Amino acid sequence: MNTLKNKIALITGASSGIGEATASEFAKLGADLILTARRIDKIQNLAQQLEKEYAIKVLALQLDVQDHANIEKVIGGLTGTWQNIDILVNNAGLALSSDFIQDATVSNWDTMIDTNIKGLLYVTHAVLPTMIKRKVGHIVNISSMAGIEHYPRGNVYSATKHAVRAISKSLRLDLLGQNIRVSDIAPGAVNTEFSTVRWNDKQKADNFYSTFTPLTAEDMADAITYCVTRKPHVNVETIAIYPTEQASANHICANGVPTAGMFPTDKK
Ligand SMILES: NC(=O)c1ccc[n+]([C@@H]2O[C@H](COP(=O)([O-])OP(=O)(O)OC[C@H]3O[C@@H](n4cnc5c(N)ncnc54)[C@H](OP(=O)(O)O)[C@@H]3O)[C@@H](O)[C@H]2O)c1
């Protein structure tokens, strides 16, 4: 049976969606968890619930992955066995808006780049020294099908996720010989808070997801768990997953009709 007993996993963006579902899945398998996000109340509640349900230890730490100094302070300040992080899931990330480049609000680009690329690098940089010292570790980066393909108005989000995939490949090269695995998970459309955050409009997000059967956060947690429960000599390079009703980063079967244009409800 798969087990994560005696392992410590740090998950960024554990306050909702894929991160939250992964925390639950890891807890079921006995891992002790360091849950991080900006919304501390959400991860504290989740920590309490998982500790009670699965008799594991959970640390809930408020962390904005854009804040390099604080990441160094918080992760550098871990004490005792909490320093021995076995698994890092770099999941925190977001898309903001779906504008054409020529119409974009430039501050949205900054936030996506600072979170999806720089944030992932900062957390990885803070966690790696102990992994290297212990010669053990598994880093799972959450990229996207948008990091493999492109779609109209995906521009900068897509670029950040291409960067995540480039970082995963580079990490595997730079860490060769250190016994640290690096896996990349590339989801298609998953029904989480992602689209509500993207459009700042829950109704629009709900309408989008209602036109087809998207993936769930639990589907992605299942794939992440698959990666981290392989035998130590097995490193899953990439898992790319679409919903059955999605055929590219830009094609879904909306209301039963194959449709080009990921956002058919968006009239822009
Ligand atoms: N849903 C999809 O269709 C989809 C598809 C492909 C890839 N992905 C990727 O999957 C990952 C998880 O997204 P999701 O679908 O689960 O969306 P979600 O439900 O919106 O979750 C995003 C998580 O990221 C955290 N986060 C955002 N900015 C942060 C920051 N500056 N510092 C720390 N945490 C931050 C959020 O926590 P706080 O707000 O509490 O900080 C939240 O826990 C993202 O990297 C996303 O790009 C999603």
Side-chain angles (χ1 to χ4, degrees):
M1 199 191 109
N2 289 333
T3 178
L4 292 175
K5 274 207 164 50
N6 301 318
K7 303 252 187 241
I8 295 177
L10 187 155
I11 302 170
T12 67
S15 57
S16 74
I18 296 169
E20 180 181 355
T22 302
S24 297
E25 206 54 42
F26 283 11
K28 266 183 224 163
L29 296 180
D32 292 324
L33 300 172
I34 304 174
L35 304 182
T36 74
R38 292 167 301 180
R39 286 173 292 176
I40 184 71
D41 51 326
K42 290 220 166 212
I43 51 174
Q44 277 172 342
N45 288 342
L46 181 62
Q48 268 179 14
Q49 179 209 316
L50 296 178
E51 278 191 324
K52 206 163 136 197
E53 199 168 340
Y54 299 107
I56 56 164
K57 287 186 276 187
V58 187
L59 264 188
L61 301 176
Q62 189 168 37
L63 207 66
D64 182 339
V65 297
Q66 299 170 97
D67 186 344
H68 180 223
N70 195 44
I71 288 167
E72 294 288 334
K73 194 171 133 201
V74 168
I75 294 178
L78 291 171
T79 55
T81 51
W82 285 115
Q83 293 172 78
N84 299 334
I85 295 164
D86 298 287
I87 301 166
L88 165 63
V89 182
N90 276 316
N91 164 75
L94 79 176
L96 287 178
S97 131
S98 49
D99 292 330
F100 293 111
I101 287 186
Q102 56 273 30
D103 297 334
T105 303
V106 169
S107 61
N108 286 338
W109 296 351
D110 293 333
T111 305
M112 288 188 278
I113 290 167
D114 288 350
T115 307
N116 301 356
I117 307 178
K118 290 165 72 179
L120 179 144
L121 283 169
Y122 295 156
V123 175
T124 304
H125 188 255
V127 167
L128 268 179
T130 312
M131 283 188 173
I132 291 171
K133 200 159 94 190
R134 295 174 64 228
K135 286 238 181 253
V136 63
H138 196 154
I139 299 170
V140 183
N141 291 330
I142 311 305
S143 63
S144 172
M145 290 307 305
I148 299 175
E149 302 176 1
H150 303 269
Y151 56 93
R153 291 183 278 134
N155 47 65
V156 174
Y157 175 68
S158 185
T160 66
K161 293 301 186 174
H162 276 72
V164 170
R165 287 183 48 73
I167 292 164
S168 296
K169 286 170 193 284
S170 297
L171 276 171
R172 265 190 299 275
L173 292 167
D174 290 356
L175 294 170
L176 190 60
Q178 305 286 357
N179 196 38
I180 296 172
R181 295 184 275 183
V182 181
S183 301
D184 188 280
I185 306 287
V190 192
N191 188 353
T192 61
E193 293 178 13
F194 179 81
S195 291
T196 301
V197 170
R198 172 174 229 161
W199 293 317
N200 193 24
D201 184 339
K202 184 161 181 347
Q203 190 58 57
K204 183 171 170 178
D206 289 347
N207 290 347
F208 169 62
Y209 291 124
S210 74
T211 60
F212 66 111
T213 307
L215 296 165
T216 64
E218 289 70 28
D219 294 327
M220 299 320 303
D222 188 34
I224 295 164
T225 302
Y226 175 82
C227 285
V228 302
T229 52
R230 294 311 87 205
K231 290 178 183 160
H233 69 287
V234 178
N235 184 23
V236 177
E237 202 266 7
T238 299
I239 299 184
I241 304 186
Y242 277 132
T244 305
E245 291 189 312
Q246 183 178 10
S248 85
N250 195 42
H251 289 79
I252 56 170
C253 189
N255 299 313
V257 181
T259 307
M262 267 302 283
F263 310 128
T265 58
D266 189 343
K267 297 289 180 228
K268 196 169 178 187

